[in-house]
Amino acid sequence: MRLKLVAGNWKMHGGIERNRDLLSIVISGTAGLQKTACAVCVPYPYLSQVQSLLKNTHVSWGAQNISQHDMGAYTGEVSADMLTDFCCYYVIVGHSERRTLYGENSRTVSLKFKVAQDAGLVPILCVGETLEQREAGFTEQVVREQLDAVIGLVGVDALARSVLAYEPIWAIGTGKTATPQQAQDVHVFIRNIVASYNVKVAAELRILYGGSVKASNAAELFAMLDIDGGLIGGASLVAEEFISICLAAQN
Ligand code: PGA
């Protein structure tokens, strides 16, 4: 039985006061969750604040990116050790916005996955195709390439200490959600790839869906057998929406 996870991806949103208000409502609104884990991945400058607001609560926290390097002359970058200094539990790697806007390729993403894990962080590895790739029938090929790069570097057993997120790029921030069946099909495809190496790791791997998940569509997505929760962008910034999504995962 896989424990569901709902993780907020705040992207480049937030503010000291806003974070405080949002998190205090989220903490109390999700206090009754038992079969669902809840987390927020926040911009770097707020890690300290979020750590102090969330420590000793049931909500975990993490970052949205990590450097593949340990330390050194990498202006603007943040290392794994810096994230563990703020007791991050998760870090998102390979989000499509990093891949498309900042030129991260599958090799870079797998290096980031590795440094995160080596530091004890749990990477949330994002994979997913563009609209053109889907329409051309390349969804499986794209997802396989993104996943194989990571498995090739760290080995399939390392996936046991990670979370996957299938995020079709055409559904991110567009209001267009994959249908539950479209998402389920790709989740099964991902799980089968992992199972071809290690059945146990595949059975226990949490695969989240991300892309315009809202309170109104979360329940039908989470009802699918291989959808183990969600990576939530826009809706994670609205306390009531985020709480409803967490509750939908619980049911
Ligand atoms: P969205 O973003 O929920 O706003 O579509 C999801 C994501 O990018 O992780």
Side-chain angles (χ1 to χ4, degrees):
M1 177 69 187
R2 298 182 292 268
L3 185 75
K4 285 212 168 40
L5 167 66
V6 176
N9 172 12
W10 287 5
K11 307 194 179 183
M12 200 171 73
H13 294 283
I16 296 280
E17 257 181 63
R18 222 174 117 185
N19 303 344
R20 195 187 308 118
D21 295 345
L22 174 64
L23 288 176
S24 77
I25 306 173
V26 166
I27 292 166
S28 55
T30 56
L33 290 180
Q34 272 157 11
K35 287 176 287 172
T36 298
C38 174
V40 288
C41 295
V42 308
Y44 295 138
Y46 300 128
L47 283 172
S48 170
Q49 181 199 19
V50 166
Q51 178 186 15
S52 68
L53 291 171
L54 295 181
K55 67 170 186 252
N56 305 323
T57 76
H58 59 283
V59 182
S60 336
W61 62 94
Q64 302 167 12
N65 185 25
I66 186 170
S67 170
Q68 68 267 40
H69 305 289
D70 291 339
M71 64 169 74
Y74 301 104
T75 301
E77 291 290 280
V78 169
S79 72
D81 284 349
M82 296 173 189
L83 298 184
T84 57
D85 272 348
F86 294 98
C87 300
C88 285
Y89 189 83
Y90 295 107
V91 61
I92 298 172
V93 299
H95 190 280
S96 62
E97 286 151 18
R98 301 295 320 168
R99 292 182 195 257
T100 57
L101 302 175
Y102 298 94
E104 292 186 12
N105 58 29
S106 290
R107 171 73 186 160
T108 319
V109 172
S110 28
L111 292 170
K112 289 180 177 218
F113 184 103
K114 184 171 187 323
V115 293
Q117 266 199 341
D118 289 349
L121 295 157
V122 173
I124 301 178
L125 169 67
C126 300
V127 297
E129 81 288 1
T130 63
L131 185 58
E132 297 71 48
Q133 289 164 336
R134 170 163 284 264
E135 286 176 344
F138 290 141
T139 299
E140 294 192 346
Q141 196 176 315
V142 169
V143 168
R144 178 184 283 278
E145 184 274 327
Q146 292 169 338
L147 192 55
D148 276 352
V150 174
I151 294 175
L153 183 72
V154 297
V156 81
D157 292 355
L159 294 184
R161 289 170 290 115
S162 77
V163 174
L164 255 65
Y166 169 56
E167 298 209 313
I169 297 173
W170 48 273
I172 295 177
T174 57
K176 255 193 192 176
T177 317
T179 65
Q181 192 58 52
Q182 279 175 323
Q184 166 70 10
D185 289 347
V186 181
H187 283 226
V188 169
F189 175 73
I190 292 171
R191 204 177 298 286
N192 284 343
I193 294 178
V194 179
S196 71
Y197 298 100
N198 186 322
V199 174
K200 183 169 185 287
V201 171
E204 291 172 1
L205 180 65
R206 277 190 290 189
I207 308 175
L208 313 183
Y209 168 77
S212 298
V213 179
K214 310 181 265 282
S216 58
N217 59 21
E220 54 174 12
L221 286 160
F222 298 160
M224 303 309 284
L225 257 188
D226 288 278
I227 300 184
D228 306 309
L231 184 56
I232 319 298
S236 71
L237 302 169
V238 182
E240 295 71 22
E241 277 281 315
F242 190 63
I243 292 166
S244 300
I245 294 168
C246 293
L247 297 178
Q250 159 98 339
N251 299 324

